[in-house]
Amino acid sequence: MSPRTPVRRVVSLVPSLTEAVAATEPELLAGATDWCTHPPGLAVERYGGTKNPDTARIAALAPDLVIANEEENRPSDLAALRAAGLEVLVTEVRTLEQAFSELERVLVRGCGLVRPGWLDAAEAAWADVRATGPARRAVVPVWRRPWMVLGRDTFAGDVLARLGVKHLYSAHPERYPRVPIQELTARGADLVVLPDEPYRFTADDGPEAFPGFPAALVSGRHLTWYGPSLAEAPAVLTDALSAAR
């Protein structure tokens, strides 16, 4: 972000980045997606989802900065926002280290804010995390009908690896491959990890497809979001994984 333009209005296209800005300097937020659920009660303009934002409506908000992510947002939408004369900062987050560095880039260099204490707390929470015992072999569905799982090079996969969970499609050429349920159940996993987003897996929707497998129902916000939830994530995810033993 150029130092010539003070940032006073920010539009976020990513739920976790919305929460990060709101936890640091809430008055900066001028708009957020319909999926931006944290913090609860956030009162800003809404303009659609991460994959179908109303770019004309965003341009009408006249933000000084739009924050986005290369995985969650479509290049065509980002190009439309730039064509409207808006500055767009696009993050890439595929590891925990990237999450910390990109959060600082967005908040400090992008928005011109002082590095927040919650970011220090999040880094400290992960600093001493060490997996104990043999790695658990897991499949990690993220969608159903069709079944899709974590593949290569994902933030959630890196988070799980640090907690001692090796997901079995980490070397797949695709990042979120479609895999038939028959293959998933025959893969040799000893655990299925079922987050509640993007697909909302529950005790009644998901575990029954993996009979005989321990199922860990985990918070998608703690597994996939990079923001203030990172400070709680090690403890919250460890508890959920332990409950599935």
Side-chain angles (χ1 to χ4, degrees):
M1 187 69 186
S2 169
R4 72 185 183 280
T5 306
V7 174
R8 297 188 178 91
R9 292 173 61 80
V10 173
V11 162
S12 172
L13 297 176
V14 184
S16 53
L17 295 179
T18 297
E19 184 180 18
V21 174
T24 308
E25 197 74 19
E27 62 270 22
L28 283 186
L29 276 174
T33 76
D34 295 342
W35 299 107
C36 294
T37 56
H38 285 74
L42 182 66
V44 296
E45 291 291 325
R46 307 287 179 153
Y47 47 75
T50 58
K51 299 289 192 279
N52 62 344
D54 185 334
T55 56
R57 190 171 176 186
I58 292 172
L61 292 174
D64 301 307
L65 180 66
V66 177
I67 51 178
N69 176 263
E70 52 87 29
E71 177 180 308
E72 294 200 47
N73 306 121
R74 300 183 304 178
S76 58
D77 292 323
L78 304 182
L81 293 170
R82 290 189 177 104
L86 301 181
E87 184 149 8
V88 181
L89 189 162
V90 183
T91 60
E92 179 184 289
V93 178
R94 301 190 183 188
T95 67
L96 188 64
E97 286 87 353
Q98 272 190 311
F100 293 136
S101 62
E102 289 289 68
L103 284 165
E104 176 151 348
R105 184 165 74 99
V106 167
L107 297 170
V108 178
R109 284 177 279 168
C111 297
L113 302 174
V114 174
R115 179 182 166 95
W118 64 257
L119 185 52
D120 294 330
E123 287 195 331
W126 282 97
D128 296 324
V129 170
R130 299 289 184 274
T132 58
R136 304 180 75 182
R137 296 162 50 83
V139 292
V140 189
V142 294
W143 201 256
R144 184 171 188 170
R145 293 183 290 272
W147 287 97
M148 299 174 68
V149 298
L150 289 186
R152 66 168 181 86
D153 198 20
T154 64
F155 172 71
D158 186 52
V159 166
L160 287 172
R162 293 166 188 272
L163 298 173
V165 176
K166 174 180 174 55
H167 72 92
L168 296 182
Y169 289 86
S170 60
H172 195 282
E174 297 178 29
R175 297 184 68 212
Y176 300 98
R178 296 185 181 188
V179 183
I181 188 63
Q182 296 84 355
E183 178 180 331
L184 294 180
T185 56
R187 183 74 178 191
D190 54 40
L191 175 70
V192 57
V193 178
L194 298 169
D196 61 10
E197 62 174 82
Y199 185 91
R200 187 171 180 78
F201 289 105
T202 68
D204 300 318
D205 185 355
E208 82 291 341
F210 297 87
F213 287 78
L217 295 166
V218 304
S219 161
R221 176 169 165 261
H222 291 96
L223 179 62
T224 65
W225 288 34
Y226 33 92
S229 59
L230 283 172
E232 306 168 348
V236 170
L237 294 173
T238 295
D239 287 348
L241 293 168
S242 296
R245 291 190 182 277

Coordinates of all heavy atoms in Angstrom, one line a residue, residues 61-131:
L61 N -18.7 2.0 -2.5 CA -18.3 2.2 -1.1 C -17.0 3.1 -1.0 O -16.7 3.6 0.1 CB -18.1 0.9 -0.3 CG -19.3 0.0 -0.1 CD1 -18.9 -1.3 0.5 CD2 -20.3 0.8 0.8
A62 N -16.3 3.2 -2.1 CA -15.1 4.0 -2.2 C -14.1 3.6 -1.2 O -13.6 4.5 -0.5 CB -15.4 5.5 -2.2
P63 N -13.7 2.4 -1.0 CA -12.7 2.0 0.0 C -11.3 2.5 -0.5 O -11.0 2.6 -1.7 CB -12.8 0.5 0.0 CG -13.2 0.1 -1.3 CD -14.2 1.2 -1.8
D64 N -10.4 2.7 0.5 CA -9.0 3.0 0.2 C -8.3 1.7 -0.1 O -7.2 1.8 -0.7 CB -8.4 3.7 1.4 CG -9.1 5.0 1.8 OD1 -9.2 5.8 0.9 OD2 -9.5 5.2 2.9
L65 N -8.8 0.6 0.4 CA -8.1 -0.7 0.2 C -9.1 -1.8 0.3 O -10.0 -1.8 1.1 CB -7.1 -0.9 1.4 CG -6.3 -2.2 1.3 CD1 -5.3 -2.2 0.1 CD2 -5.4 -2.3 2.6
V66 N -8.9 -2.7 -0.6 CA -9.7 -4.0 -0.6 C -8.7 -5.1 -0.3 O -7.7 -5.2 -0.9 CB -10.4 -4.3 -2.0 CG1 -11.1 -5.6 -2.0 CG2 -11.3 -3.1 -2.4
I67 N -9.1 -5.9 0.7 CA -8.2 -7.1 1.0 C -8.8 -8.4 0.6 O -10.0 -8.6 0.8 CB -7.8 -7.1 2.5 CG1 -9.1 -6.9 3.4 CG2 -6.9 -5.9 2.8 CD1 -8.8 -7.0 4.9
A68 N -8.0 -9.2 0.0 CA -8.5 -10.4 -0.7 C -7.5 -11.6 -0.5 O -6.5 -11.4 0.1 CB -8.8 -10.2 -2.2
N69 N -7.9 -12.7 -1.0 CA -7.0 -13.9 -0.9 C -7.0 -14.7 -2.3 O -8.1 -14.8 -2.9 CB -7.5 -14.8 0.2 CG -6.7 -16.1 0.3 OD1 -7.1 -17.1 -0.2 ND2 -5.5 -16.1 0.9
E70 N -5.9 -15.2 -2.7 CA -5.8 -15.8 -4.0 C -6.6 -17.1 -4.1 O -6.9 -17.5 -5.2 CB -4.3 -16.0 -4.3 CG -3.5 -16.8 -3.3 CD -3.6 -18.3 -3.4 OE1 -3.7 -18.8 -4.5 OE2 -3.4 -19.0 -2.4
E71 N -6.9 -17.7 -3.0 CA -7.6 -19.0 -3.0 C -9.1 -18.7 -2.9 O -9.9 -19.3 -3.6 CB -7.2 -19.9 -1.9 CG -8.0 -21.1 -1.8 CD -7.5 -22.0 -0.6 OE1 -6.3 -22.3 -0.6 OE2 -8.4 -22.4 0.2
E72 N -9.5 -17.8 -2.1 CA -10.9 -17.6 -1.8 C -11.6 -16.7 -2.8 O -12.9 -16.7 -2.9 CB -11.1 -17.0 -0.4 CG -10.7 -17.9 0.7 CD -11.3 -17.5 2.1 OE1 -12.5 -17.3 2.1 OE2 -10.5 -17.5 3.0
N73 N -10.9 -15.8 -3.5 CA -11.5 -14.8 -4.4 C -11.1 -15.1 -5.8 O -10.0 -15.5 -6.1 CB -11.2 -13.4 -4.0 CG -11.5 -13.2 -2.5 OD1 -10.6 -12.8 -1.7 ND2 -12.7 -13.3 -2.1
R74 N -12.1 -14.8 -6.8 CA -11.8 -15.1 -8.2 C -11.0 -13.9 -8.8 O -11.3 -12.8 -8.6 CB -13.2 -15.2 -8.9 CG -14.1 -16.3 -8.4 CD -15.3 -16.4 -9.2 NE -16.1 -15.2 -9.3 CZ -17.2 -15.0 -10.0 NH1 -17.7 -16.0 -10.6 NH2 -17.8 -13.8 -10.0
P75 N -10.0 -14.3 -9.7 CA -9.2 -13.3 -10.3 C -10.1 -12.3 -11.1 O -9.8 -11.1 -11.2 CB -8.3 -14.1 -11.3 CG -8.2 -15.4 -10.6 CD -9.5 -15.7 -10.0
S76 N -11.2 -12.7 -11.7 CA -12.0 -11.8 -12.5 C -12.7 -10.7 -11.6 O -12.8 -9.6 -12.1 CB -13.1 -12.6 -13.2 OG -13.9 -13.3 -12.3
D77 N -13.0 -11.1 -10.4 CA -13.6 -10.1 -9.5 C -12.5 -9.1 -9.1 O -12.8 -7.9 -9.0 CB -14.2 -10.8 -8.3 CG -15.5 -11.6 -8.6 OD1 -16.2 -11.1 -9.5 OD2 -15.6 -12.6 -8.0
L78 N -11.3 -9.6 -8.8 CA -10.3 -8.7 -8.4 C -9.9 -7.8 -9.5 O -9.6 -6.6 -9.3 CB -9.1 -9.5 -7.9 CG -9.3 -10.5 -6.8 CD1 -8.0 -11.2 -6.4 CD2 -10.0 -9.8 -5.6
A79 N -9.9 -8.3 -10.7 CA -9.6 -7.5 -11.9 C -10.6 -6.4 -12.1 O -10.3 -5.2 -12.4 CB -9.5 -8.3 -13.1
A80 N -11.9 -6.7 -11.8 CA -13.0 -5.7 -12.0 C -12.8 -4.6 -10.9 O -13.0 -3.4 -11.2 CB -14.3 -6.4 -11.8
L81 N -12.4 -5.0 -9.7 CA -12.2 -3.9 -8.7 C -11.0 -3.0 -9.0 O -11.1 -1.8 -8.9 CB -12.0 -4.6 -7.3 CG -13.2 -5.4 -6.8 CD1 -12.8 -6.2 -5.6 CD2 -14.3 -4.4 -6.4
R82 N -9.9 -3.6 -9.6 CA -8.8 -2.8 -10.0 C -9.2 -1.9 -11.1 O -8.8 -0.7 -11.2 CB -7.6 -3.7 -10.4 CG -7.0 -4.4 -9.2 CD -5.7 -5.1 -9.6 NE -5.0 -5.7 -8.4 CZ -5.1 -7.1 -8.2 NH1 -5.7 -7.9 -9.0 NH2 -4.4 -7.5 -7.1
A83 N -10.0 -2.4 -12.1 CA -10.4 -1.6 -13.2 C -11.3 -0.4 -12.8 O -11.3 0.6 -13.4 CB -11.2 -2.5 -14.2
A84 N -11.9 -0.6 -11.6 CA -12.7 0.5 -11.0 C -11.9 1.5 -10.3 O -12.4 2.5 -9.7 CB -13.8 0.0 -10.1
G85 N -10.5 1.3 -10.3 CA -9.6 2.2 -9.7 C -9.3 2.0 -8.2 O -8.7 2.8 -7.5
L86 N -9.7 0.8 -7.7 CA -9.5 0.4 -6.3 C -8.1 -0.3 -6.1 O -7.7 -1.0 -7.0 CB -10.6 -0.5 -5.8 CG -12.0 0.1 -5.9 CD1 -13.0 -0.9 -5.3 CD2 -12.1 1.5 -5.2
E87 N -7.5 -0.1 -5.0 CA -6.3 -0.8 -4.7 C -6.7 -2.1 -4.0 O -7.5 -2.1 -3.0 CB -5.4 0.1 -3.7 CG -4.1 -0.6 -3.4 CD -2.9 0.4 -3.2 OE1 -3.2 1.6 -3.2 OE2 -1.8 -0.1 -3.1
V88 N -6.1 -3.2 -4.5 CA -6.5 -4.5 -4.0 C -5.2 -5.2 -3.5 O -4.2 -5.3 -4.2 CB -7.1 -5.4 -5.1 CG1 -7.5 -6.7 -4.5 CG2 -8.4 -4.7 -5.6
L89 N -5.2 -5.6 -2.2 CA -4.1 -6.3 -1.6 C -4.5 -7.8 -1.6 O -5.5 -8.1 -0.9 CB -3.8 -5.8 -0.3 CG -2.5 -6.3 0.5 CD1 -2.1 -5.3 1.6 CD2 -2.7 -7.7 1.0
V90 N -3.8 -8.7 -2.2 CA -4.1 -10.1 -2.3 C -3.1 -10.9 -1.5 O -1.9 -10.8 -1.7 CB -4.1 -10.6 -3.8 CG1 -4.6 -12.1 -3.8 CG2 -5.1 -9.7 -4.6
T91 N -3.7 -11.7 -0.6 CA -2.8 -12.5 0.3 C -2.7 -13.9 -0.3 O -3.6 -14.4 -1.1 CB -3.4 -12.6 1.7 OG1 -4.7 -13.2 1.6 CG2 -3.5 -11.2 2.3
E92 N -1.6 -14.6 0.1 CA -1.5 -16.0 -0.1 C -1.1 -16.7 1.2 O -0.2 -16.3 1.8 CB -0.4 -16.3 -1.1 CG -0.2 -17.8 -1.4 CD 1.0 -18.1 -2.3 OE1 0.9 -17.8 -3.5 OE2 2.0 -18.6 -1.9
V93 N -2.0 -17.6 1.6 CA -1.8 -18.3 2.9 C -1.9 -19.8 2.7 O -3.0 -20.3 2.6 CB -2.8 -17.8 4.0 CG1 -2.6 -18.5 5.3 CG2 -2.7 -16.3 4.1
R94 N -0.8 -20.5 2.7 CA -0.8 -21.9 2.6 C 0.0 -22.6 3.7 O 0.0 -23.8 3.8 CB -0.2 -22.3 1.3 CG -1.0 -21.7 0.1 CD -0.6 -22.3 -1.2 NE -1.3 -21.6 -2.3 CZ -1.2 -22.0 -3.6 NH1 -0.5 -23.0 -3.9 NH2 -1.9 -21.3 -4.5
T95 N 0.6 -21.8 4.6 CA 1.2 -22.4 5.8 C 1.0 -21.4 7.0 O 0.5 -20.3 6.8 CB 2.8 -22.5 5.6 OG1 3.3 -21.2 5.5 CG2 3.1 -23.3 4.4
L96 N 1.3 -21.9 8.2 CA 1.1 -21.1 9.4 C 2.0 -19.9 9.3 O 1.6 -18.8 9.7 CB 1.3 -22.0 10.6 CG 1.0 -21.3 11.9 CD1 -0.5 -21.0 12.1 CD2 1.4 -22.2 13.1
E97 N 3.3 -20.1 8.9 CA 4.2 -19.0 8.8 C 3.7 -17.9 7.8 O 3.8 -16.7 8.1 CB 5.6 -19.5 8.3 CG 6.4 -20.2 9.4 CD 6.0 -21.7 9.4 OE1 5.1 -22.1 8.6 OE2 6.7 -22.4 10.1
Q98 N 3.1 -18.3 6.7 CA 2.5 -17.4 5.8 C 1.4 -16.6 6.4 O 1.2 -15.4 6.2 CB 2.1 -18.1 4.5 CG 3.1 -18.2 3.4 CD 2.5 -18.7 2.1 OE1 1.7 -19.7 2.1 NE2 2.8 -18.1 1.1
A99 N 0.6 -17.3 7.2 CA -0.5 -16.7 7.9 C 0.0 -15.5 8.7 O -0.6 -14.4 8.6 CB -1.3 -17.7 8.7
F100 N 1.0 -15.8 9.5 CA 1.5 -14.7 10.4 C 2.1 -13.6 9.6 O 1.8 -12.4 9.9 CB 2.5 -15.3 11.4 CG 2.0 -16.2 12.4 CD1 2.6 -17.4 12.7 CD2 0.8 -16.0 13.0 CE1 2.1 -18.3 13.6 CE2 0.3 -16.8 14.0 CZ 0.9 -18.0 14.3
S101 N 2.9 -13.9 8.6 CA 3.5 -12.8 7.8 C 2.5 -12.0 7.0 O 2.6 -10.8 6.8 CB 4.6 -13.4 6.9 OG 4.0 -14.3 5.9
E102 N 1.5 -12.7 6.4 CA 0.5 -12.0 5.6 C -0.5 -11.2 6.5 O -0.9 -10.1 6.1 CB -0.4 -13.0 4.8 CG 0.4 -13.7 3.7 CD 0.6 -12.7 2.5 OE1 1.4 -11.7 2.7 OE2 0.0 -12.9 1.4
L103 N -0.8 -11.6 7.7 CA -1.5 -10.8 8.6 C -0.8 -9.5 8.9 O -1.4 -8.4 9.0 CB -1.9 -11.6 9.9 CG -3.0 -12.6 9.8 CD1 -3.0 -13.6 10.9 CD2 -4.3 -12.0 9.6
E104 N 0.5 -9.6 9.2 CA 1.3 -8.4 9.4 C 1.3 -7.5 8.2 O 1.1 -6.3 8.3 CB 2.7 -8.7 9.9 CG 3.5 -7.5 10.0 CD 4.6 -7.6 11.1 OE1 4.6 -8.6 11.8 OE2 5.5 -6.7 11.1
R105 N 1.4 -8.1 7.0 CA 1.4 -7.3 5.8 C 0.1 -6.5 5.6 O 0.0 -5.4 5.3 CB 1.7 -8.2 4.6 CG 1.8 -7.4 3.3 CD 2.4 -8.3 2.2 NE 1.4 -9.3 1.7 CZ 0.7 -9.1 0.5 NH1 0.8 -8.0 -0.2 NH2 -0.1 -10.1 0.1
V106 N -1.0 -7.2 5.9 CA -2.3 -6.6 5.7 C -2.5 -5.5 6.7 O -2.9 -4.4 6.4 CB -3.5 -7.6 5.8 CG1 -4.8 -7.0 6.0 CG2 -3.5 -8.6 4.6
L107 N -2.3 -5.8 8.0 CA -2.6 -4.9 9.1 C -1.6 -3.7 9.2 O -2.1 -2.5 9.3 CB -2.7 -5.6 10.4 CG -3.8 -6.7 10.4 CD1 -3.7 -7.5 11.7 CD2 -5.2 -6.1 10.4
V108 N -0.4 -4.0 9.1 CA 0.7 -3.0 9.4 C 1.0 -2.3 8.1 O 0.9 -1.0 8.0 CB 1.9 -3.6 10.0 CG1 3.0 -2.6 10.3 CG2 1.5 -4.3 11.4
R109 N 1.4 -3.0 7.1 CA 1.8 -2.3 5.8 C 0.6 -1.9 5.0 O 0.7 -0.9 4.4 CB 2.8 -3.2 5.0 CG 4.2 -3.3 5.6 CD 5.1 -4.2 4.9 NE 4.8 -5.6 5.3 CZ 5.3 -6.7 4.7 NH1 6.0 -6.5 3.5 NH2 5.1 -7.9 5.1
G110 N -0.4 -2.7 5.0 CA -1.6 -2.4 4.2 C -2.5 -1.3 4.8 O -2.8 -0.3 4.2
C111 N -2.9 -1.6 6.0 CA -3.8 -0.7 6.7 C -3.1 0.4 7.5 O -3.8 1.3 8.0 CB -4.8 -1.5 7.6 SG -5.8 -2.7 6.7
G112 N -1.8 0.3 7.7 CA -1.1 1.3 8.5 C -1.4 1.3 10.0 O -1.2 2.3 10.7
L113 N -1.7 0.1 10.5 CA -2.0 -0.1 11.9 C -0.7 -0.5 12.7 O 0.2 -1.0 12.1 CB -3.1 -1.1 12.1 CG -4.4 -0.7 11.4 CD1 -5.4 -1.9 11.5 CD2 -5.0 0.5 11.9
V114 N -0.8 -0.3 14.0 CA 0.2 -0.9 14.9 C 0.0 -2.4 15.0 O -1.2 -2.8 15.0 CB 0.2 -0.2 16.3 CG1 1.1 -0.9 17.2 CG2 0.5 1.3 16.1
R115 N 1.1 -3.2 15.0 CA 0.9 -4.6 15.1 C 0.1 -5.0 16.3 O 0.4 -4.5 17.4 CB 2.3 -5.3 15.2 CG 2.2 -6.8 15.3 CD 3.7 -7.4 15.4 NE 3.6 -8.7 15.9 CZ 3.7 -9.8 15.1 NH1 3.8 -9.7 13.8 NH2 3.7 -11.0 15.7
P116 N -1.0 -5.7 16.2 CA -1.9 -6.0 17.3 C -1.3 -7.0 18.3 O -0.6 -7.9 17.9 CB -3.2 -6.5 16.7 CG -2.7 -7.1 15.4 CD -1.5 -6.3 14.9
G117 N -1.7 -6.9 19.5 CA -1.3 -7.8 20.6 C -1.9 -9.2 20.3 O -1.2 -10.2 20.6
W118 N -3.0 -9.3 19.7 CA -3.6 -10.7 19.4 C -2.7 -11.5 18.5 O -2.7 -12.7 18.5 CB -5.0 -10.6 19.0 CG -5.3 -9.9 17.6 CD1 -5.8 -8.7 17.4 CD2 -5.1 -10.5 16.3 NE1 -5.9 -8.4 16.1 CE2 -5.5 -9.5 15.4 CE3 -4.6 -11.7 15.9 CZ2 -5.4 -9.7 14.0 CZ3 -4.5 -11.9 14.5 CH2 -4.9 -10.9 13.6
L119 N -2.0 -10.8 17.6 CA -1.1 -11.5 16.6 C 0.1 -12.0 17.4 O 0.5 -13.1 17.1 CB -0.7 -10.5 15.5 CG 0.1 -11.1 14.4 CD1 -0.5 -12.4 13.8 CD2 0.4 -10.1 13.3
D120 N 0.6 -11.2 18.3 CA 1.7 -11.8 19.1 C 1.2 -13.0 19.9 O 1.9 -14.0 20.1 CB 2.2 -10.7 20.1 CG 2.8 -9.5 19.4 OD1 3.4 -9.7 18.3 OD2 2.8 -8.4 19.9
A121 N 0.0 -12.9 20.5 CA -0.5 -14.0 21.2 C -0.7 -15.3 20.4 O -0.5 -16.4 20.8 CB -1.9 -13.6 21.9
A122 N -1.1 -15.1 19.1 CA -1.3 -16.2 18.2 C 0.0 -16.9 17.9 O 0.1 -18.1 17.9 CB -2.0 -15.7 16.9
E123 N 1.0 -16.1 17.6 CA 2.3 -16.7 17.4 C 2.9 -17.4 18.6 O 3.4 -18.5 18.5 CB 3.3 -15.6 16.9 CG 3.1 -15.1 15.5 CD 4.2 -14.3 15.0 OE1 5.0 -13.6 15.8 OE2 4.4 -14.3 13.8
A124 N 2.6 -16.8 19.8 CA 3.1 -17.5 21.0 C 2.4 -18.8 21.2 O 3.0 -19.8 21.7 CB 2.9 -16.5 22.2
A125 N 1.1 -18.8 20.9 CA 0.3 -20.0 21.1 C 0.8 -21.2 20.3 O 0.7 -22.4 20.7 CB -1.2 -19.8 20.8
W126 N 1.4 -20.9 19.1 CA 1.9 -22.0 18.3 C 3.3 -22.3 18.4 O 3.8 -23.3 17.9 CB 1.6 -21.6 16.8 CG 0.2 -21.8 16.4 CD1 -0.8 -20.9 16.4 CD2 -0.4 -23.1 16.0 NE1 -2.0 -21.5 16.0 CE2 -1.8 -22.8 15.8 CE3 0.1 -24.4 15.9 CZ2 -2.7 -23.8 15.3 CZ3 -0.8 -25.4 15.4 CH2 -2.1 -25.1 15.2
A127 N 4.1 -21.4 19.1 CA 5.5 -21.5 19.2 C 6.0 -22.8 19.8 O 7.0 -23.4 19.4 CB 6.1 -20.3 20.0
D128 N 5.3 -23.3 20.8 CA 5.7 -24.5 21.5 C 4.9 -25.7 21.2 O 5.0 -26.7 21.9 CB 5.7 -24.2 23.0 CG 6.7 -23.1 23.5 OD1 7.7 -23.1 22.9 OD2 6.3 -22.4 24.4
V129 N 4.1 -25.6 20.1 CA 3.3 -26.8 19.7 C 4.1 -27.9 19.2 O 4.9 -27.6 18.2 CB 2.2 -26.4 18.7 CG1 1.5 -27.6 18.2 CG2 1.1 -25.5 19.4
R130 N 4.1 -29.0 19.7 CA 4.9 -30.2 19.2 C 4.0 -31.4 19.2 O 3.3 -31.7 20.2 CB 6.1 -30.4 20.1 CG 7.1 -29.3 20.3 CD 7.9 -29.1 19.0 NE 8.9 -28.1 19.1 CZ 8.7 -26.8 19.0 NH1 7.5 -26.4 18.7 NH2 9.7 -25.9 19.1
A131 N 3.9 -32.1 18.1 CA 3.2 -33.3 18.0 C 3.8 -34.4 18.9 O 5.0 -34.5 18.9 CB 3.1 -33.7 16.6

